[in-house]
Amino acid sequence: NILDVFVPKIEEDLEDDVVYLDKEIAKKQKSQRCSDEFLQRIITIFPSHVKNLNVEQLVRVCEVCAQRNLGDNRLYREFLFFYVEKRIAVFNIQQVVRILRVLGERRYIDDPIFWNNFIFPRIYLDPLNQKEAQSVWEALIALKLKCPELNCDIPINYIESILKKYEVMENYEDLDQEL
């Protein structure tokens, strides 16, 4: 019977399509858990909770708000960036890099004390390995491109000097291996 040959094939094709569609729906739901309008409403009550966030949560909230363009300047200036300023000393380097990117996205240049007394000095606190120095340098260059009015030449020069040190060390190791 000809139907016996084609019906299982059609059923298999439909199952593949259903699996594919289920995966696509799951991806979409994962990427957008709720509408922007709902998030905007949530953001209006959010400032009272910012002080209770740990450092990783604070950085992540800043990233999500900047990526989804949520909140107004007051939320960033008086709540998110205020707590970033208060806690910047305990940020690890990756969190500093992530917050530099958020600050660049928001084009936050209004407060030179914030930059010169808190954000930039945090870069100098810990010794950086080559990978960390490279990621900080990339974040600072992106910040400089997005906020040309912001003077970040000193931290960029500092990070470039670290990168040059690692480059010299690599060249020395290569020379040592050749001998």
Side-chain angles (χ1 to χ4, degrees), residues 79-131:
F79 294 99
L80 296 176
F81 296 159
F82 173 74
Y83 281 99
V84 165
E85 181 179 308
K86 284 180 73 168
R87 298 181 185 161
I88 192 70
V90 296
F91 278 36
N92 64 37
I93 290 301
Q94 283 311 109
Q95 291 165 335
V96 171
V97 167
R98 290 166 54 199
I99 212 66
L100 284 171
R101 294 190 187 282
V102 169
L103 290 163
E105 283 181 43
R106 293 298 303 177
R107 289 173 172 67
Y108 186 72
I109 59 171
D110 300 337
D111 188 358
I113 293 171
F114 172 80
W115 287 102
N116 296 324
N117 292 355
F118 296 97
I119 301 298
F120 291 149
R122 173 59 188 91
I123 295 169
Y124 312 128
L125 286 180
D126 296 328
L128 302 173
N129 63 37
Q130 187 174 10
K131 184 178 177 183

Side-chain angles (χ1 to χ4, degrees), residues 3-16:
L3 284 176
D4 294 337
V5 174
F6 288 110
V7 169
K9 177 72 172 141
I10 292 171
E11 287 176 357
E12 287 175 17
D13 288 346
L14 287 176
E15 286 177 17
D16 289 344

Side-chain angles (χ1 to χ4, degrees), residues 139-156:
L140 286 170
I141 294 300
L143 179 68
K144 182 77 173 166
L145 292 173
K146 290 182 180 180
C147 306
E149 309 86 23
L150 185 65
N151 185 7
C152 49
D153 294 334
I154 293 172
I156 289 174

Side-chain angles (χ1 to χ4, degrees), residues 145-168:
L145 292 173
K146 290 182 180 180
C147 306
E149 309 86 23
L150 185 65
N151 185 7
C152 49
D153 294 334
I154 293 172
I156 289 174
N157 292 338
Y158 171 74
I159 297 297
E160 286 177 347
S161 71
I162 291 174
L163 290 171
K164 286 178 186 172
K165 177 184 79 168
Y166 283 114
E167 186 179 309
V168 168

